[in-house]
Amino acid sequence: MPGIASNDRIEWLRLSSCYLPLATPISDAKVLTGRQKPMTEIALLFVEVVTRDGHEGLGFSYSKRAGGPGQFAHAKEIAPALLGEDPSDIAKLWNKLCWAGASVGRSGLSTQAIGAFDVALYDLKARRARLPLAKLLGAYRDSVACYNTSGGFLHTPLEQLLVNASASIERGIGGIKLKVGQPDGALDLKRVDAVRRHLGDNVALMVDANQQWDRPTAQRMCRTFEPLRLVWIEEPLDAYDHEGHAALAATFDTPIATGEMLTSAMEHGDLIRHRAADYLMPDAPRVGGITPYLKIAAQAEQAGLMIAPHFAMELHVHLAATYPTEPWVEHFDWLEPLFNERLEIAGGRMLVPDRPGLGLSLSEQARVWTREQVEVGKRP
């Protein structure tokens, strides 16, 4: 039988600007070097979509330290462009939203605002199909290896670092990532070596310098860390220093990981062409949603790279499950109060939810933390 064109149309959207407070101000190497202040909250942009036929989708993007009001303002401007459109035409709608705000560019804040709409449309499509998002996209696995970052920040004393690491492993998380990049590299080595001795050789251990080393320092520190059998050294250099990252990747046995700060598929393509990473770390909300993320993943696969999506585990557990080679997902429990559901962890792995779509619904707490909200169109 010939296919039947969809007659469903987007009728209503609700945009919410929500601010998640962090219990403890968060510090990494960017704080110690004076480039940034400790992080005290995360700005979330939520997009809820409802169609004429009653199908619903939920998407989100986020910003740290700055940019939340700008994302929300841009989203308000471009949201009317979706009214009356077929929600299945996701790639077409991504381009339409991009051109609606083309004068402010195709990366950064503008595409991060688009990301919330894009994720919502994919969530809607998967819910309508009664499939988890990973299954809709085509999953290779039902669980993904996961590692914890939130217990390893630089503001955490060494003794507490060891406690946090043990607690994560006992919870079922498969690896531990530690922040490095202090002015005194000897302190970094002391902390990482202490955790390695504490956990033993069989636990996956990663470090993250958050772009704070220059090239000579990165060379010395990568050489220093070689004996510790790290899964990767993350962002040893500025995120856009592809040549420098490529030199490190070619020189050392320990893999180099980077990519989380890039904000478009085009920027990731440049990184891949330079062979600047062994582990690529795309962030779907930062690059503009699932549509550009899938383009990045396809390039990474063709280049033979490993992948470890950054942050937003509630979304990335689905996307990582669709990558051919075994990926890692970053476990952050920070966003958990925003949703009614929880991800399951067992045996070092994060289980892909079997609920339709993302498998998420906004909590009452998310509504409490919402500072601004706007509705576009008329709810059917």
Side-chain angles (χ1 to χ4, degrees), residues 19-26 38-42 64 311 334-335:
Y19 283 77
L20 166 71
L22 298 176
T24 302
I26 303 300
M39 182 168 53
T40 59
E41 63 183 10
I42 300 174
K64 297 177 179 178
F311 199 59
W334 293 355
L335 303 187

Side-chain angles (χ1 to χ4, degrees), residues 87-102:
S88 295
D89 296 338
I90 300 177
K92 168 189 168 183
L93 297 183
W94 196 98
N95 282 338
K96 185 174 185 181
L97 292 174
C98 186
W99 281 105

Side-chain angles (χ1 to χ4, degrees), residues 17 116 122 158 188-189 238 260 320:
S17 179
Y122 266 103
L158 177 55
D188 285 333
L189 179 59
D238 184 276
E260 69 178 62

Side-chain angles (χ1 to χ4, degrees), residues 51-380:
T51 70
R52 182 184 304 163
D53 292 347
H55 297 293
E56 301 184 7
L58 170 66
F60 67 93
S61 187
Y62 74 92
S63 182
K64 297 177 179 178
R65 291 187 173 89
Q71 278 192 28
F72 184 68
H74 190 69
K76 286 194 298 183
E77 285 190 293
I78 63 176
L82 292 183
L83 293 178
E85 292 284 357
D86 185 335
S88 295
D89 296 338
I90 300 177
K92 168 189 168 183
L93 297 183
W94 196 98
N95 282 338
K96 185 174 185 181
L97 292 174
C98 186
W99 281 105
S103 64
V104 291
R106 302 183 187 182
S107 64
L109 184 149
S110 60
T111 48
Q112 289 165 15
I114 293 173
F117 296 100
D118 189 76
V119 173
L121 293 176
Y122 266 103
D123 181 53
L124 185 153
K125 193 170 189 176
R127 288 195 201 188
R128 188 178 61 204
R130 300 181 182 178
L131 290 172
L133 176 62
K135 296 288 187 182
L136 178 78
L137 297 175
Y140 282 88
R141 57 192 63 83
D142 294 322
S143 67
V144 181
C146 63
Y147 67 96
N148 178 265
T149 295
S150 55
F153 277 86
L154 288 180
H155 64 267
T156 308
L158 177 55
E159 296 76 13
Q160 187 62 45
L161 207 64
L162 303 180
V163 172
N164 293 348
S166 292
S168 292
I169 299 303
E170 290 170 5
R171 183 178 174 183
I173 294 172
I176 301 296
K177 189 171 80 176
L178 305 174
K179 296 292 185 176
V180 295
Q182 301 187 76
D184 183 357
L187 293 178
D188 285 333
L189 179 59
K190 177 182 177 181
R191 287 163 64 88
V192 177
D193 185 61
V195 174
R196 169 55 79 206
R197 293 175 182 274
H198 179 69
L199 295 177
D201 292 340
N202 294 326
V203 173
L205 190 61
M206 307 85 159
V207 300
D208 182 359
N210 287 111
Q211 311 178 71
Q212 297 311 293
W213 293 330
D214 56 26
R215 290 190 182 185
T217 303
Q219 287 276 346
R220 287 193 295 269
M221 294 305 295
C222 286
R223 187 172 295 110
T224 298
F225 282 129
E226 282 277 70
L228 294 181
R229 301 167 301 281
L230 302 177
V231 177
W232 68 63
I233 297 174
E234 184 175 335
E235 287 194 324
L237 299 168
D238 184 276
Y240 291 91
D241 185 0
H242 301 333
E243 292 85 356
H245 278 110
L248 295 175
T251 301
F252 297 103
D253 293 337
T254 305
I256 298 300
T258 189
E260 69 178 62
M261 297 304 298
L262 305 185
T263 60
S264 70
M266 181 178 65
E267 291 178 359
H268 277 275
D270 194 38
L271 184 153
I272 292 168
R273 284 189 294 275
H274 279 85
R275 305 297 301 183
D278 301 293
Y279 275 95
L280 196 66
M281 311 189 86
D283 182 317
R286 276 187 178 163
V287 299
I290 296 169
T291 295
Y293 177 95
L294 294 176
K295 296 177 182 179
I296 293 166
Q299 294 179 75
E301 178 186 353
Q302 186 175 32
L305 302 183
M306 295 171 283
I307 203 164
H310 167 256
F311 199 59
M313 64 181 185
E314 291 82 0
L315 168 60
H316 287 135
V317 66
H318 289 275
L319 301 184
T322 70
Y323 199 66
T325 57
E326 183 69 46
W328 284 91
V329 167
E330 188 169 26
H331 178 272
F332 266 102
D333 55 11
W334 293 355
L335 303 187
E336 285 186 346
L338 300 170
F339 305 108
N340 294 313
E341 299 79 13
R342 297 291 179 267
L343 294 175
E344 296 182 44
I345 296 170
R349 304 181 68 81
M350 187 178 296
L351 278 58
V352 178
D354 58 7
R355 300 178 295 273
L358 291 173
L360 299 175
S361 58
L362 289 178
S363 68
E364 286 303 314
Q365 185 61 68
R367 303 296 187 192
V368 171
W369 286 334
T370 295
R371 297 183 185 176
E372 193 172 357
Q373 197 170 79
V374 65
E375 296 185 14
V376 179
K378 185 177 180 180
R379 185 159 194 165

